[in-house]
């Protein structure tokens, strides 16, 4: 499962780190957004997005919803930024899952994650697709339900600012383009 879905059990991590300072390493990796807790199963698991595999079956033309393009092409999109963004998105989804007092029986779906794409339900009914384009130096966010699009895009932008501030020394620069709902063109 570790190399198939990027998920590792605590037992596996204790084995890898030879039982030494496991809590310290888990905390360090979580704080640096290299790992996220995974509460979508009964076992104690951790998502390590750098271990996720490519998924060639994803066709970006088939992804539906309101679209936002975060363009890093005037600078560059370093390796690891998308993976850190996934950690923050999964952590957000887990917090919503744990704190949903309004609809305790309505849980968010388990995220579908791959090396350069993900489908995450940020809150019930807010299914969001993230797609990294390494060649174009961009990340595309598509939100299926237009009602949640603005909120979801603001949340992802805040997450990117956190990655930029906490990990990248505020060195990331990007432009944001939003899709016109009628013409489907991306506008600055």
């Amino acid at each position: 499962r570790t190399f198939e879905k990027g998920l590792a059990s605590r037992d596996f991590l204790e084995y890898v780190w030879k039982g030494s300072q496991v809590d310290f390493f888990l905390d360090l990796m979580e704080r640096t957004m290299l790992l996220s807790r995974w509460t979508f199963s009964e076992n104690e698991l951790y998502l390590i997005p750098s271990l996720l595999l490519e998924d060639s079956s994803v066709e970006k033309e088939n992804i539906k919803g309101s679209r936002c393009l975060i363009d890093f092409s005037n600078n560059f999109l370093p390796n690891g930024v998308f993976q850190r963004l996934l950690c923050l998105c999964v952590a957000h989804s887990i917090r919503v899952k744990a704190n949903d007092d309004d609809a305790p029986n309505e849980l968010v779906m388990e995220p579908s994650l791959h090396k350069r794409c993900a489908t995450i339900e940020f809150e019930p009914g807010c299914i969001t697709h993230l797609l990294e384009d390494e060649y174009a130096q961009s990340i595309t966010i598509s939100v299926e339900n237009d009602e949640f699009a603005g909120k979801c895009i603001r949340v992802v932008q805040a997450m990117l600012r956190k990655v930029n501030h906490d990990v990248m020394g505020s060195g990331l620069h990007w432009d944001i383009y939003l899709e016109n709902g009628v013409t489907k063109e991306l506008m600055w």
Side-chain angles (χ1 to χ4, degrees):
R1 184 190 309 228
T2 300
F3 298 104
E4 202 174 294
K5 294 193 170 202
L7 297 174
S9 68
R10 183 175 177 100
D11 290 341
F12 176 77
L13 295 173
E14 286 188 18
Y15 171 77
V16 169
W17 293 321
K18 299 180 179 20
S20 178
Q21 303 292 325
V22 174
D23 289 328
F24 169 77
F25 285 124
L26 287 171
D27 184 55
L28 176 68
M29 289 183 71
E30 193 168 3
R31 288 177 188 264
T32 56
M33 296 166 257
L34 296 172
L35 162 147
S36 180
R37 295 180 190 278
W38 186 267
T39 62
F40 294 96
S41 74
E42 294 177 18
N43 302 327
E44 185 177 6
L45 296 174
Y46 299 90
L47 168 67
I48 304 172
S50 60
L51 298 178
L52 290 168
L53 300 174
E54 293 280 354
D55 184 8
S56 58
S57 68
V58 174
E59 297 177 25
K60 58 184 172 183
E61 298 83 29
N62 294 338
I63 294 176
K64 55 187 173 186
S66 299
R67 201 167 43 123
C68 171
L69 179 81
I70 302 172
D71 181 14
F72 296 85
S73 65
N74 287 330
N75 196 355
F76 75 105
L77 177 59
N79 288 334
V81 169
F82 184 75
Q83 289 74 23
R84 285 179 162 95
L85 181 61
L86 289 184
C87 277
L88 291 173
C89 290
V90 167
H92 176 80
S93 184
I94 286 170
R95 276 192 303 278
V96 167
K97 177 182 171 208
N99 296 326
D100 194 0
D101 294 332
D102 296 335
N105 296 324
E106 193 173 4
L107 299 177
V108 294
M109 70 177 196
E110 180 175 318
S112 171
L113 307 173
H114 304 281
K115 187 172 186 171
R116 302 205 186 285
C117 63
T119 300
I120 300 173
E121 190 171 17
F122 272 69
E123 58 187 76
C126 181
I127 297 173
T128 305
H129 306 277
L130 301 161
L131 183 67
E132 178 187 27
D133 187 332
E134 191 176 28
Y135 178 75
Q137 297 286 289
S138 66
I139 297 173
T140 302
I141 306 164
S142 298
V143 183
E144 287 188 14
N145 185 336
D146 289 341
E147 180 182 322
F148 293 106
K151 177 183 177 183
C152 184
I153 290 169
R154 283 190 302 277
V155 168
V156 173
Q157 287 175 323
M159 291 174 181
L160 267 177
R161 285 192 296 273
K162 178 173 178 50
V163 170
N164 192 22
H165 180 267
D166 291 1
V167 180
M168 303 305 297
S170 299
L172 284 178
H173 303 283
W174 58 82
D175 294 314
I176 296 179
Y177 298 89
L178 297 173
E179 182 178 61
N180 179 315
V182 176
T183 65
K184 302 297 182 194
E185 291 181 68
L186 290 172
M187 303 175 357
W188 191 67

